[in-house]
Amino acid sequence: MSATGAILVVDDDPAICVVVGEALRRQGHKVKTASSIKERGALLESFAPDVLITDVMLPDGDGLDGVAEILERKPDLSVIVLSAQNTLNTAIRATEKGAFEYLPKPFDLNELARAVGDALGTGKAQEGEDGATGLPHDGLPLVGRSPAMQEVYRTIARVLSNDLSILVLGESGTGKELVAEAIHSLGQRRTKPFVAINMAAIPRELIEAELFGYEKGAFTGAQARTAGKFEQAQGGTLFLDEIGDMPMEAQTRLLRVLQSGEVTTVGGSKPVRVNVRIIAATNKDLPKLIEENRFRQDLYYRLNVVPIALPALRERREDVILLARHFLDRAALEGLPRKALSDDAAQLLMAYHWPGNVRELQNLMQRLAVLSRENVIAADVLRNSLPLDMVPADHAAPADQLGQAVREWAKRQLGIGIGQPNRALHDDLLALVEPILLQETLASVDGNQIRAAGLLGINRNTLRKKLTDYGLDPLQLRVAE
């Protein structure tokens, strides 16, 4: 059994307080939250936490101010610092103040759980026997630290304390049902049932019976009264997956139920009052279906009170390796051999376009856990053992690779550039990449400046000036014969 403690979470973003607080509570910790330095000070005395998790930017000051003094008074307290100022300077300040750990935002809940376990002196207290954290499915069943996923987390946190209808949008395999499970398991209905139904998997003639139930003798094979999904979810959450595949006639009756809060079984006459939260999901373009008269507009508005758009995996590539390792850990917990990824294999995963999204990655990691003979999965295993069009990283997704390289360069320069507000990073980046572009373009046309200018989309005089500025000789930029 993992050791638990008292945790104080201080952040002025209510979403972070809710998600972090609920996830840690589900790990068995006692958690209180605050949104300011003033509230933090009061709770440090009245709550006496074992671990303080504090943001840096708070409404009434710098969250790092006073940390050293707090630790002098409470030497057994461990401080974990969170900050959106992902700079070297912030990390150094946190360390100098005596912080136990520093986590830049956006952070992953698994990392925070490990940091809390370490701060409590339990090492891998939040992990299973094989070292894989149980937080994603015991707390928030989603993994990712990308900005896109952080926005999803914030939206989830904002709807936990209400019963507004939610429409989860996203491609197949992006994790729409996991979002629904997270909202239910962290929300005020978590002690009641979570019931899911996939509209695309049910024959049209049986959808109403599945949703609303049926009476004995209502149709051939109806041997006894059977409760539908609405009644089964009484007091809890009903997840309507693939809502875009629901037939129009069933949509009409569903709308009536949502408006009245009552269901009438197929073959029945007495309505039954139901109290459920509705979460719907689809990978379809519902506004387009409305234009084609295939989806009711009034039902769309009823369901789409709070939309949550899940990004495709190719749109959050920074989460690919984090997810891959998470799925390998889960596979090990399920009895499969424990595996790790080589750097080359990780690069291949980053280069792949993931048409099947997170579900495809999960299935891939499970297969690799079985197929790879070595403890470390190599790139050749990824290429040769799987029926996937895995393009070598050095030839795949050049735009993505360039974007990632620019992003990493910018992060480094911004970290180095603290205290130097007039560094002109835009000019620095152009000085790095523009000469290369000019050289390669001129070489491709054997030094012909007119053709090069046309390919670059600039006039010849501009090209000449740039060549002069960078000290490039067009006569030397010819393809060797």
Side-chain angles (χ1 to χ4, degrees):
M1 179 67 181
S2 299
T4 58
I7 318 293
L8 174 58
V9 181
V10 185
D11 200 298
D12 61 338
D13 186 339
I16 289 179
C17 286
V18 170
V19 172
V20 171
E22 286 297 324
L24 292 176
R25 285 187 189 100
R26 293 179 70 80
Q27 291 289 311
H29 302 295
K30 294 180 180 178
V31 182
K32 286 190 180 295
T33 62
S35 60
S36 66
I37 293 174
K38 182 178 180 180
E39 290 180 14
R40 182 180 77 184
L43 283 170
L44 281 171
E45 301 305 322
S46 62
F47 182 49
D50 301 302
V51 178
L52 167 64
I53 301 173
T54 184
D55 191 15
V56 173
M57 298 295 291
L58 293 170
D60 52 351
D62 188 325
L64 287 174
D65 290 345
V67 167
E69 291 78 6
I70 291 170
L71 290 174
E72 284 183 10
R73 299 196 320 270
K74 300 177 179 294
D76 293 332
L77 178 71
S78 296
V79 178
I80 298 173
V81 174
L82 308 176
S83 178
Q85 297 177 312
N86 302 343
T87 65
L88 179 61
N89 184 55
T90 305
I92 291 173
R93 284 186 63 220
T95 303
E96 289 175 342
K97 295 290 185 179
F100 178 82
E101 183 64 272
Y102 164 73
L103 296 177
K105 293 181 179 178
F107 58 89
D108 180 64
L109 283 174
N110 291 313
E111 290 181 294
L112 184 58
R114 293 189 184 100
V116 168
D118 290 340
L120 290 170
T122 59
K124 296 184 178 181
Q126 304 305 318
E127 300 180 3
E129 294 180 1
D130 292 316
T133 174
L135 184 59
H137 287 274
D138 292 337
L140 186 65
L142 295 162
V143 174
R145 68 180 70 175
S146 62
M149 287 306 295
Q150 294 296 316
E151 183 58 35
V152 171
Y153 298 158
R154 281 190 284 271
T155 305
I156 289 174
R158 294 184 184 112
V159 300
L160 295 180
S161 60
N162 58 62
D163 284 329
L164 297 176
S165 297
I166 296 166
L167 181 61
V168 187
L169 306 167
E171 296 178 8
S172 293
T174 49
K176 296 186 288 295
E177 185 165 355
L178 291 181
V179 169
E181 290 176 356
I183 293 169
H184 175 78
S185 64
L186 295 176
Q188 55 193 4
R189 293 177 178 263
R190 57 181 172 268
T191 61
K192 300 297 183 180
F194 174 84
V195 177
I197 180 171
N198 188 324
M199 298 300 173
I202 302 172
R204 296 170 65 94
E205 63 273 13
L206 296 180
I207 284 183
E208 292 192 26
E210 286 286 332
L211 279 175
F212 313 123
Y214 54 86
E215 299 294 325
K216 179 179 179 180
F219 50 82
T220 302
Q223 301 296 324
R225 186 191 187 279
T226 301
K229 300 300 184 184
F230 270 91
E231 287 188 71
Q232 294 172 29
Q234 187 71 265
T237 302
L238 178 59
F239 176 53
L240 306 174
D241 199 8
E242 304 297 351
I243 192 69
D245 292 289
M246 192 177 198
M248 284 291 284
E249 57 271 19
Q251 292 178 33
T252 301
R253 190 164 179 199
L254 173 61
L255 178 64
R256 190 178 305 119
V257 170
L258 297 181
Q259 290 172 335
S260 66
E262 295 180 339
V263 297
T264 303
T265 58
V266 176
S269 58
K270 185 178 180 180
V272 176
R273 193 78 184 169
V274 289
N275 174 21
V276 299
R277 179 175 202 162
I278 298 295
I279 302 177
T282 185
N283 59 5
K284 301 291 181 64
D285 184 345
L286 293 187
K288 183 178 180 181
L289 293 183
I290 291 171
E291 291 179 2
E292 297 170 352
N293 293 319
R294 295 165 56 196
F295 200 86
R296 291 185 62 110
Q297 187 176 50
D298 44 7
L299 178 58
Y300 173 71
Y301 290 135
R302 174 70 67 170
L303 297 173
N304 191 36
V305 178
V306 179
I308 298 179
L310 279 179
L313 186 53
R314 63 183 173 277
E315 296 169 355
R316 53 177 185 120
R317 290 184 184 271
E318 56 265 64
D319 289 336
V320 170
I321 305 306
L322 183 69
L323 282 160
R325 289 173 176 152
H326 166 72
F327 291 134
L328 287 175
D329 286 343
R330 279 186 53 185
L333 284 178
E334 293 167 359
L336 296 177
R338 173 165 293 283
K339 300 295 171 64
L341 289 169
S342 69
D343 291 341
D344 289 345
Q347 288 298 317
L348 268 180
L349 292 178
M350 289 286 289
Y352 187 55
H353 61 288
W354 299 111
N357 291 296
V358 178
R359 185 183 297 122
E360 182 182 8
L361 176 59
Q362 179 178 6
N363 294 339
L364 173 60
M365 291 302 102
Q366 289 175 332
R367 292 201 300 274
L368 285 172
V370 174
L371 295 176
S372 177
R373 296 180 180 179
E374 303 297 329
N375 291 332
V376 177
I377 297 168
D380 60 343
V381 173
L382 202 56
R383 288 192 184 96
N384 301 329
S385 300
L386 302 168
L388 293 172
D389 183 20
M390 302 291 287
V391 182
D394 55 351
H395 293 101
D400 290 331
Q401 293 180 21
L402 176 60
Q404 184 65 25
V406 171
R407 184 176 291 109
E408 293 300 324
W409 178 88
K411 287 179 179 178
R412 288 195 300 271
Q413 297 304 312
L414 290 168
I416 296 169
I418 296 299
Q420 304 178 46
N422 299 315
R423 288 198 63 220
L425 289 181
H426 179 267
D427 292 339
D428 289 351
L429 180 60
L430 283 182
L432 282 173
V433 301
E434 196 168 38
I436 298 172
L437 178 61
L438 297 177
Q439 290 172 318
E440 292 298 318
T441 304
L442 279 162
S444 72
V445 294
D446 201 23
N448 188 312
Q449 294 184 42
I450 296 177
R451 292 176 62 193
L455 289 171
L456 292 165
I458 59 179
N459 62 51
R460 186 179 180 185
N461 290 335
T462 300
L463 175 59
R464 283 178 174 174
K465 183 177 184 306
K466 288 180 180 295
L467 292 173
T468 300
D469 290 343
Y470 291 121
L472 299 175
D473 184 355
L475 296 179
Q476 297 178 358
L477 302 175
R478 296 177 180 272
V479 177
E481 296 183 325

